[in-house]
Amino acid sequence: MLRGLYTAASGMITQQRRHDTVTQNIANVNTPGYKQVESIERSFPEMLISLNNGDQGSSNRNIGRLNTGVLAEESISMNVQGDMRQTNSADDFALVSEINLADPATQQNIPFDASGKYVAEDGTVTYRPQAFFTATSKTGETGYTRDGNFQLNAAGQLLTSTGNQVLGATGNPITLRGSIDDYNFDSRGNITTKINGATVGRLGISVVNLPGQMTRAGDGLFRVTDPATAGVRQLQAGDNVEVRQGYLEGSTVDAAASMVDLTAALRAYEANQKIVQFYDKSLDKTVNDVGRV
């Protein structure tokens, strides 16, 4: 009987974490560059139940399999392209990242699905590389973001919307004199002056070959524990990546689907709660009534 309590309790904890994940998505539905988070659940290993006594003449003493619970294994970000929203603001930037990879066997472009991955016939999983603006966090760590809602402070430093310094292609913070309206930004992130067309720098755009290894660092930034393993590199000439000034990338959150997931998590939580209440009443009767006989 206690096994059922543990199973129901694990289900409640899992649905609560699922609820928190969906709530986070809904709260960031209007956040530029936000990537929807999906909660991945996994069941505990199943147990094979067999007869210990009784039915001695049976050749098959297996009763069946018993599932012992579920857990929220991880939360992963859906690193796919968001919709473009034109703002006509000179300090707004968006990345259009559609980097293609060739299949070594056919030399054709790999057909990635809507989640940005491709599963081959042999089970090999390939992820679509994604491009990010490079910034430095307040603790000095290098981070990556798709939120291009930049701004210039009084010192001429280009900052993200949360106050993190935007890095250039050389890895140093970008500093501009005067107003951002005095500069042009082309589709590859090159920065030139409007007065004489002199190049003064380039936006630091990093490509992450395995975006699934990125973790959220707060302030709209992602971080990578091991850049070599994740395949972090600078933008190359052959990468199909475009910088658009005067645009912002919208979040990838599907508001309608999130509301459905939120309701489903609530209903599943309530169902597990009812099971806990049922076992509680059964234990109460066992202790207080049956125990008196």
Side-chain angles (χ1 to χ4, degrees):
M1 184 177 292
L2 291 178
R3 183 184 291 118
L5 276 175
Y6 295 140
T7 302
S10 68
M12 293 176 66
I13 295 173
T14 299
Q15 295 305 323
Q16 181 180 4
R17 292 180 178 175
R18 179 186 176 192
H19 181 278
D20 294 342
T21 299
V22 179
T23 302
Q24 175 183 332
N25 289 334
I26 295 176
N28 290 277
V29 68
N30 292 320
T31 302
Y34 178 82
K35 302 303 177 183
Q36 178 171 308
V37 180
E38 295 288 346
S39 179
I40 306 300
E41 292 86 26
R42 179 173 64 86
S43 62
F44 289 112
E46 294 181 339
M47 299 173 59
L48 181 63
I49 307 300
S50 302
L51 287 173
N52 288 328
N53 297 301
D55 198 12
Q56 298 295 332
S58 175
S59 61
N60 183 12
R61 302 175 61 83
N62 294 332
I63 298 176
R65 296 183 179 274
L66 174 67
N67 192 290
T68 55
V70 66
L71 77 157
E73 185 174 29
E74 62 177 336
S75 296
I76 59 175
S77 299
M78 307 300 290
N79 291 295
V80 295
Q81 182 68 48
D83 296 332
M84 296 290 108
R85 176 168 57 89
Q86 188 172 5
T87 64
N88 295 320
S89 178
D91 51 5
D92 285 340
F93 299 88
L95 285 175
V96 179
S97 178
E98 297 180 354
I99 301 176
N100 294 316
L101 295 178
D103 189 335
T106 63
Q107 296 301 317
Q108 301 293 324
N109 288 337
I110 295 177
F112 295 103
D113 61 17
S115 65
K117 69 179 181 180
Y118 169 73
V119 182
E121 294 181 357
D122 59 357
T124 303
V125 180
T126 304
Y127 294 92
R128 165 170 271 174
Q130 294 292 333
F132 297 86
F133 295 111
T134 311
T136 179
S137 66
K138 296 179 177 62
T139 59
E141 296 180 319
T142 300
Y144 310 94
T145 182
R146 292 291 284 263
D147 183 1
N149 186 16
F150 298 155
Q151 56 187 342
L152 280 180
N153 62 7
Q157 296 174 327
L158 191 63
L159 307 177
T160 66
S161 60
T162 54
N164 298 304
Q165 289 185 327
V166 180
L167 301 181
T170 60
N172 298 317
I174 294 178
T175 303
L176 302 176
R177 295 181 179 180
S179 170
I180 199 169
D181 292 321
D182 299 330
Y183 298 88
N184 290 319
F185 294 77
D186 66 12
S187 61
R188 303 300 288 181
N190 295 304
I191 310 172
T192 58
T193 61
K194 290 184 177 181
I195 297 177
N196 54 17
T199 301
V200 297
R202 183 161 66 93
L203 291 173
I205 302 174
S206 299
V207 175
V208 183
N209 290 329
L210 297 176
Q213 296 194 12
M214 307 176 73
T215 57
R216 295 180 184 271
D219 287 343
L221 296 179
F222 292 91
R223 66 180 179 87
V224 175
T225 303
D226 188 351
T229 302
V232 180
R233 58 178 176 82
Q234 288 291 319
L235 182 68
Q236 298 176 357
D239 294 327
N240 187 17
V241 178
E242 178 186 357
V243 178
R244 293 186 182 181
Q245 187 178 14
Y247 288 82
L248 284 177
E249 180 184 1
S251 72
T252 59
V253 176
D254 187 334
S258 296
M259 291 303 299
V260 173
D261 291 341
L262 193 67
T263 304
L266 178 60
R267 294 292 182 264
Y269 183 92
E270 292 175 343
N272 285 284
Q273 185 182 35
K274 294 294 183 182
I275 295 175
V276 172
Q277 292 174 348
F278 170 79
Y279 277 114
D280 180 64
K281 292 180 181 179
S282 299
L283 289 172
D284 177 70
K285 185 176 290 292
T286 301
V287 173
N288 296 316
D289 296 340
V290 178
R292 294 177 183 177
V293 179

